[in-house]
Amino acid sequence: MMHSVQPADSALLRVAWSSISDRRGGQRGEPLEPEQLLRQQIESAGKQLADAREDLISARRRVAQLQEAERNWLRLAEELRRADRG
């Protein structure tokens, strides 16, 4: 949920982020407004979060595959031990 920026908040953001705004100008070189910077950062964080979630899902799949492989190797080792005894 996105909250609207109140005028007092906007003034504080302008002061706090003036150096950021100067370094990250708009497409035509003009400084970005604090609201634009916030929007960009929120979008960027959302994209990074989506990427991290995808990575986590892939990692969980890989863990499950490795667990299955380990079980299979342990099962094979046990079967070989039994065959050597019998």
Side-chain angles (χ1 to χ4, degrees):
M1 177 165 85
M2 202 164 149
H3 299 285
S4 63
V5 177
Q6 300 301 318
D9 296 336
S10 182
L12 288 173
L13 289 172
R14 283 185 214 289
V15 172
W17 286 348
S18 62
S19 62
I20 294 172
S21 180
D22 292 343
R23 289 192 308 250
R24 294 184 180 181
Q27 291 179 350
R28 297 184 195 124
E30 69 267 2
L32 293 176
E33 292 294 317
E35 293 83 2
Q36 293 170 307
L37 288 172
L38 277 174
R39 192 172 20 260
Q40 285 180 356
Q41 293 304 312
I42 291 167
E43 289 173 6
S44 176
K47 289 175 186 175
Q48 291 178 43
L49 180 58
D51 289 344
R53 284 182 175 147
E54 288 178 21
D55 291 345
L56 180 58
I57 290 167
S58 295
R60 287 179 176 161
R61 283 189 194 121
R62 182 70 179 139
V63 166
Q65 292 169 346
L66 291 170
Q67 287 172 330
E68 181 65 22
E70 181 185 40
R71 280 191 295 269
N72 290 338
W73 284 113
L74 290 170
R75 190 177 308 126
L76 177 61
E78 183 61 31
E79 290 172 7
L80 290 173
R81 275 189 232 117
R82 283 189 206 143
D84 284 343
R85 292 183 205 152

